[in-house]
Structure formats: structure tokens, C-alpha cells
Amino acid sequence: MADVIMKHSKAVIALWLVVLVCALPFGIKSGDVLEYDMNSMSGSSTEASDGQAIIDEHFSNSIDLSEILVISYSSSEEHAAAQAIFVEFQNLMDDKYGAKTTVSNYGTYSKGDPNVEGILMIAIANNEGESWDIAHETDNIRELVKEAKSNASAAYPEAAGLTTYVTGNDAITYDTENSSMEDVSKVDPLSILLIFVLLGLFFYAVVTAVVPPAVVGMAYGIALAAVYAIGCLMGVYYITQTLILVSMLGAGCDYAIFIITRYRDERKKGLSHEDALKTAIMWGGEAVFTSGISVIIGFAALALCDFAMVRTMGIILAIGIAIALVAALTFIPSLLNLVKDKIFWPSNIESYKRVEDKVQNGGKLGVHGHLSKGSKRYFAWLSRNTHKHSKLIAIALVVLCIPGLYIFAESEDSADMISVMPDSESVDGLDLIMTQTDGGTIMPTYIVLEMNESIATVGSLPYGGMSIPYVIWNEHGLDPATMTGAVPAVMEMTNDIDDYEIVGSISGLNSWQIMYMKMGSELETTDTSTINQALYEQMPSAVKGYVGMILAIASGQVPTHIDPTAFDASWNSYVVYDVVSGYSLTVANIIDGILNVGTGILSDDGQYVSVMVITTDKPMSADTMDFLAELRSDLHDGDGSYDSKYNNIWSASYVAGTSASIDDMSKDIEDQFSMIRIVVAILLIVLLFFILGSYLTPIRSIITILLSVFLTVALTHVVFEGLMDTPVLFLIPIVLFVVLLGLGMDYEIFMTTKIRENKIKGMNNDEAIDNAIKEAGPVISLCALLMGGTFLTLVLANSSMLKELGFALGMGILIDGLLMVGYVSPALMHLMGDWSWKGPGFLTRRHGLNPDGSNMAVPAACGAAPADAERIGGEMPVKAVPATPEEVAKYKQECYSEVAVRQDRIAALNAEVKTLTDNKRIGRLDEEGEKELEAKRSELKAEKESLREFQRKSREDLRSGKGQ
């Protein structure tokens, strides 16, 4: 790979730019395919989704609450002004949208006297269905509201000062979309600035600070094209677009930095540009590739979830990381090959060496020097103390994790999507509705009943430009002689459910005949006017006017001048004869049509019933979710359930609605993630097993990351629930587990592969760990700060969901990268000793290790000649071994470094010989190439013989040194 990139660097860069240019037109349109309503992202067949499908297909008159105008008033005068605003607004909507919308009075609601204080709710129905997007008309509708207030204020001065909100599902979607765009415009620049500052301080270079985020930006532009393509096939939840940028910035910059840093370090050791780049690609590239694959595994596992929201999130995040990984492995090395050390401008390799010399030997230090000195001191201290206090660190980890695990186990996650919505007019309107009426008014729960057979004939009558529904019950619906059938059965069930303390109101099947007879019995009268007036006063405001109109017509009144005291028509009195159907319609037939069909309780074919339950508590709250569990149990479970009791009436029942959908989603996702967690853990253990060739190290890595997850979830609950009184959404621990298991594994792999590299080059286990902390520790800490910081910028978002995700992911990355990888993993590996590297021989020997974890090439007692010794004829003379233990240790370390340099040179020659051999095999090698191949083979053989001789002499000198 290194040879291909170095030979074709310009072509690699050109190919990336061509792909970017082709992807941009599609990436720009990626926002068009985003979904902002979680309910539309279920993608899985559940009880709630099946019930909602029946409502969508069979209930043409179901109440549309996609957009609602809410007007607040606090006096009778303001109440009249609110009604005037409604009339003006209705006229303006008719003028602008015509038949596309229907504006209707949804009713007056108040927890006190509705004539004095309350809210007027006006439903704005979309008559075009999915063919017209009313959500994006929200701003225009709000402007019409302002105009209606202005028009109404001419006759009602109070109208101008009334508080109004346009809310509802579509308005919430619109506001969420706008809020998401604001979040992106605020978070993205801050993330990029953070990366630029940290990279600038680390490299003390402008170009190096710009290149990684710029390359990730290129990869992000290509990833957006993938977002658009996937979004055309399935919905993409809006949070995904924000998460993909933040995760790509964090992970992509990590990968780029790791390769650039390795190149710089090799150049500082004296390697040529070509050798340094090859070493960076070979050793750094292996670590980056392994890390990237682990992240992709973590994200891709989300695709196993049935729910489209989680599934598409996993697919897109995995694609984004894959693109960032390939860019880091190809574009960054190609750029390095072309610009060489200029990538560190205005610094250079010599300036880096001068700074290090001043740090080691004294001298005037600038900002970079002080940072370098502080870094070296810290990681030298860290290597000493993780070695010296490894047992204490392990004990501290256990002590720290006990309360974290307890909080993790005892805390309850929330399904309350309303509490994590971004602040907006629609959310304020929702809050107002919940202060003046029952919390579930705008998002009811529905009990959908599938009848064994149709229970009624449903039709409609034209009257005064309106279409008034009517219902004629058949024997299965209502038998007048025995008062049995579906209607009394459903009424009995709704009466039972109404006894729940959390149920504010429930609307099921109603029969004017039954209500009329019950009211007469309660009032102990047969006077029709008295009974009708009492029933009329009980009618909900949304249908009260229509019921009064029918009673007025039947009583011989003018419908526009209703006198409730003169309703003298009996329930079975004759109203009108429908010539088309041939039925004689009574007061009860028409009012039953209004109460059951007009409100969306009875389907147009009489086959389905939708009972609407409005809870006193807000939708998706913990109490509401508990109620749903009880309701489902009462409906379905056991011989005493309603399904069993009324199996002669209905064949199936479903609990549907927004709360039920979220409840199903949260439970199903949690159930599925029990399997996904295991899959991810096993796949990562298998990956690390083959990469590292170790039995225990992969398991130890997974355990430390799992502890990071537990601690982070506990901390998130403490901060958001304990300090901010915001429930932690059920998605947070689930996404955190998978994402952190992938992204957090980056730092484990960076550190562990560096330790293994040191082992391969001849160091013993403790020396390999200490050296890895000193050399890889700074770049790992930088990467953790970069990725953790970019995620933490999400806490500035308007959406509490993004705040929680950003905090959890950011803190999880910092805990894992700085605490676990910095302290815990090295301490545990010190304690494990060579057990960290024990594995099957066929894998360990590939890495230059024996199955017991010891080094094959350089025995533990051996070293190499000092790296700073003078070269004579390409050989390193072996100097006399110093007598003091300190000088022996220093000499051995210098020897290890020389062995590493020689092994890197041998690896580079091996790669060149392989490339030339492959070209010869396919006939692409000319005479000059043949000569070059023979020369390289000879050079490789000489290098290997020289290394063996060098190691032999080193061992002899070290052994003789012991006897001094």
C-alpha cells in the first residue's frame, strides 16, 4: 500500500477531488430527505403501528391535529376577541389555501371557568394528505394569525394583545427542522475552531492544523451524497446529519493526526522522507485501519435494529467513518508525499529537534517548548506511576465503578420525547395546552377495535353546504330490544377505563338512545326537553353546535337561533327521509353519526372502532407509559381481559397513538440491543484477537470500555436528572454503548498496537508499555480531546436530545481516552505481564512473538548497539557495556531503538522487493528493473545478516557486561 500511494500520490488526490465534485450536487440536497418526526421512523410492525395503519386506512373523519392554533384568554372580553380572531383566521386561510385546508373550532378548554380563563383551540386540517407539505407552510400560517389578530382588533381591541401559538405535530416538525439547522450552524464552526486550536498547539503549525479538518470536510461532502441516496430509499432522522459530521470530525482527525504524528516522529529520529512515510503508513496505518474497522463494526451493528431511525443512523455513520478512514489512509499519505515537511509550516523538522534539544538540555523555551516540556514531564510521570502503582490503580478503578454501576443499574431511562424537544413556539403552545387542559389532549392514546363484522350502516346527508354523517346500528351494533351489542359493550369498557386516575376523558362509541334513557332515569323524568337539554350541556364543545342544530331542527327551531330549553324531540323522533338510501332517519341516527363518525370513533364501513383516551398527565411521561402497560394488560392478558370477555364482539384490539408508538419503539429497541451489544462485543474481540494475536488483551480492552460506558451513563443521569431535572432519553445509553465501543476502541488500539510494536522490536513488556505511554500517550490524549471536545459542543444545541447525546458521547470519549487508556489499561497490562501477549502460535509468530508472549527476534537480555554510535561501513561497532545498572538500562534502550530502525529498513526493503517481484511475474519488469530487483534482494539479505550479527554481538557484550 505504501509503495502504491507513494508512486501514485497525484492520481490518488485527483481521484478524491473528482469523487467530491460528483458527490456535491447530491450532498447539497441531503437536507431534503431528513425526517423530523420519530413516529414516521418506526419501520417495524408493532401493536401501535398496526393500530395506526387501521386508523389511517379506515377513518377518513379522524381529527387532524397536524397544526393547531392556540389562543389564550383571561376574561370574557378576551374570550369574545379570541372567537373573532378565529373567524378572521378562517377567512384568511380560505382565501390563501382554499380547499387544501379546513379550519375548524376544536373547542374551548379550561381547568377553571371557560368563560373567564382558558384557551381556544383551532384545528388546521391538511386535506391534501402527503401530496402537500403543510409543515413548511407554518411560517405563512403564523403570519396569517398576526393578520387575523390585527383585523379582529378593529371590533375587539383586546385581540391585539392575546397570546397565540401555532403548534401541532407538523408545526413541531417545522420548528425542529429550523432548530436543527441553527444547531448545525452553531456547533460545526465551534467544533472546527476547537480542532484548529488544539492541532495548532500540538504541532505548532498552521498547515497541520488545517489539513485534517479540511480532509474530513472533503470526506463529509462525499458522505452527504450517501445520506441523500439512503434517504431516497428510507427515512433519515435529522439528528443523524449532525452526528455524522461530529463523529467524522472526531474520528477522521484522529486517524489523520496519528499518521502525520508518526511521520513527524520518524523524521525527527533521522529517517529520510521516504522511509519515514513508509514507516508511518506501515505501523501507523495498521493502527488506524484496525481502529477504523472497530468503529465501523460498532456503528454498523445499529443496522441490525428493526427501527428505521436507528437502522439508517447506523448505516450512515458506518459509511461516514469508512470514507474518513480511507481518506486518512490514502489522501493524507499522498499529500505528505507531495508536500513533505512543508506540512508542518511554519515549523519544520529541524525546529522540532531544536525544541526537543532545549527541553532536554536547557535553553530558552517558547510556547511550543513549554508545551512540549510539560507533555514530556506528564507522560514520563504517567509511565512511572502506572508501573509503580498499578495495583493501586486497579483497586481505585473497582472503588470508582461500584457507585457508577449502582446508578447505571438503578436509573430509569425516559421515553418522554416532548421533554427533549428544542425550545420553539410549537413547544410553548404545547405547554400552554397542557396547563389549561389534560396533558394528553394534543397526543391522545387510541384503542382500536377490529369488529367481528360491521356494526352499522354509515352514510351522510347534505345540509346547508355541509355533509352530516348518520349511523344506523345493526343487531351486532345495538339490539334495541335487549340493549346488547358492540355499542353497550364498548361503552361498558370505556366506563371501566375512565376509572383510571390518569384518564382525563375517554371517547368511545355512543348511542343517543342509550344516553337519553340513562339521563331520563338519572333525572327521574320523561320530559324530552329536560333530558335533551341535560345531554346537550354534556356534549364536548367540538360537537356541541352540531348536536344542538339537529335537536333544533327536530324541535322545529331555526338552527341559527338555538334555544336549548325547547329541545322537545325524542331520540326516536322522525327528522328527515333519505330518498337515496331509503332509510327514515331519527334524531338518534344523525346525532350518533356526529358523535361516532364525525369524531373519528367509527370507521366509514362500520368495521372498526377507535376509542380516544386523553390522559391527565402529558404524553410519554413515566406515569403515562405505566398506564399504557396496564391498559394493554387489561385488554390482552388472560381470561379476564376485555379481548377475552368480548371476543364475540371484536376479534382484535390495538393500543395506538404517539405515546404507544414511542413505548413500543423503546421496548423493542432495548430488546434488540440486548442481542446487538453481544454481537458488537464478540466481533470486536474477534477482530482484536486476529490483529493482536492475544487471548486476553481483546477481552481486557472490551472490559475497560464497558466500564467507561457504565461510568458515563451514571454521570449523564447525575447531571441531567439530578442537576438539570431533565429525563435521560432511552436512546442515550443504547447509542452510547455501540458508539463508544467503536470510537473508544480507537485509543485502546492506538496504545495497544504501539506496545505490541515495541515488543516486536525487542523490548520487554514493562519497557514496551512505558515507552508507548511516552511516545503514543500525547497523540492519544490529543485525539481524545479532539473527539470528546467535538461531541461536547453539542451541549450548546437547542435540543435536549442533542445535549444529552453530546454530553454522554463527549464525556465517554474523555473518560476512555484520558482515564482508561491513560491509566487503567497500562496498569492492568503491567500486572498481566507477558500474559497480555499470549496467544496461538500461528498468530503470535506473525508478529515476532512466541506463544508465551516473549520476543522471538531479540531475547529479553539482549539489545542492539547504541543508536547514536558512529557508523563505519554500514555497520555499528559494539561498544563496551557500561558497568552501572543505570548505564546498562540506558544502553539497552538505545539498542532497542537501533533494532527498531533496522527492522523498519528491512520491512521497507521487503515491500520494494515484493513490488518488483510482482511486476516481474506479470511481465512488467524491463532489464533495468531486473537489475534493481537483484540489487534490492542483495541489500535485503545484507541487512538481515547485519542485524543478526549485530544482535549476536550485543548479546555477548551484555552478557560480558553482567560479569563486570
Side-chain angles (χ1 to χ4, degrees), residues 784-786 788-789 792 809-820:
L785 289 171
L786 280 175
L792 284 174
L809 292 173
M811 292 306 300
I813 292 295
L814 293 178
I815 289 172
D816 186 68
L818 301 181
L819 178 63
M820 292 297 179

Side-chain angles (χ1 to χ4, degrees), residues 29 443 682 897 949 953:
K29 298 190 293 183
M443 294 181 184
I682 291 175
S897 299
E949 178 62 19
K953 291 179 180 179

Side-chain angles (χ1 to χ4, degrees), residues 36-43 169 237 657-659 661-662 665:
Y36 296 86
D37 181 6
M38 187 181 286
N39 285 325
S40 65
M41 296 293 298
S42 63
N169 292 334
Y237 197 47
T658 302
S659 297
S661 295
I662 298 299
M665 184 183 297

Side-chain angles (χ1 to χ4, degrees), residues 202 264-265 268-269 352-361 365 368-385 770-771 773-779 781:
F202 183 80
R264 184 194 66 174
D265 292 346
K268 284 161 59 178
K269 291 177 182 177
Y352 289 138
K353 289 181 178 179
R354 286 195 297 271
V355 170
E356 286 201 359
D357 182 65
K358 290 180 181 179
V359 170
Q360 291 178 358
N361 303 316
L365 300 176
H368 189 210
H370 283 292
L371 291 172
S372 179
K373 183 177 181 179
S375 172
K376 287 184 179 296
R377 282 184 173 180
Y378 171 73
F379 287 102
W381 172 87
L382 187 62
S383 68
R384 288 195 306 272
N385 284 279
D770 294 344
N771 176 267
I773 292 174
K774 294 174 184 177
E775 291 195 3
V779 68
S781 296

Side-chain angles (χ1 to χ4, degrees), residues 142 165-166 171-172 174-176 179 421-431:
R142 285 170 176 161
Y165 300 103
V166 174
I172 290 172
Y174 176 78
D175 288 340
T176 303
S179 177
M421 288 179 181
D423 294 335
S424 62
E425 177 179 330
S426 56
V427 173
D428 291 341
L430 198 60
D431 291 338

Side-chain angles (χ1 to χ4, degrees), residues 541-607:
S541 57
V543 298
K544 194 170 186 178
Y546 298 103
V547 172
M549 181 184 70
I550 298 304
L551 289 172
I553 294 172
S555 301
Q557 301 181 48
V558 178
T560 54
H561 298 85
I562 295 175
D563 179 10
T565 63
F567 291 151
D568 56 6
S570 177
W571 66 269
N572 59 352
S573 62
Y574 173 86
V575 178
V576 67
Y577 182 83
D578 181 10
V579 178
V580 177
S581 64
Y583 291 115
S584 295
L585 302 177
T586 65
V587 170
N589 295 141
I590 301 177
I591 294 182
D592 285 355
I594 294 170
L595 296 179
N596 296 288
V597 179
T599 56
I601 294 174
L602 182 65
S603 65
D604 297 338
D605 58 4
Q607 186 71 48

Side-chain angles (χ1 to χ4, degrees), residues 54-62 600-603 608-610:
I54 292 173
I55 293 174
D56 294 340
E57 181 179 356
H58 296 282
F59 290 83
S60 61
N61 290 325
S62 58
I601 294 174
L602 182 65
S603 65
Y608 299 91
V609 172
S610 175

